[in-house]
Amino acid sequence: MKLIDRIALVLVILGGLNWGCVGIFGLDLVAALFGGSASVLSRVVYVLICLAALWSITLFFREDPVERRAKGNA
């Protein structure tokens, strides 16, 4: 797995956990950690999570290296 894929995965997981906390506890962890949802730092984190989610969409359209080798041997 490429480094950018791993970074995107970590950010998407953090975003999902944050939304889970918002839904369950009413607590936005990103806003709590970075000075409110309108702070510049929080907005940067939100944008990074969004970009990671968009990048993760590409994972659906990639061919698995194992499948590629199997097709080459067939």
Side-chain angles (χ1 to χ4, degrees):
M1 195 183 263
K2 291 193 269 182
L3 178 63
I4 193 165
D5 294 340
R6 288 184 186 264
I7 292 169
L9 179 61
V10 167
L11 287 171
V12 169
I13 290 170
L14 290 175
L17 291 173
N18 186 55
W19 275 111
C21 286
V22 169
I24 296 168
F25 305 114
L27 173 66
D28 185 347
L29 290 175
V30 172
L33 292 173
F34 298 111
S37 61
S39 76
V40 173
L41 196 51
S42 291
R43 292 173 61 102
V44 168
V45 171
Y46 293 137
V47 169
L48 287 174
I49 290 172
C50 174
L51 292 173
L54 291 172
W55 179 264
S56 296
I57 293 170
T58 66
L59 299 175
F60 283 116
F61 303 104
R62 292 194 203 160
E63 189 173 335
D64 186 16
V66 175
E67 290 177 13
R68 191 177 322 136
R69 275 183 269 157
K71 286 181 183 176
N73 292 337

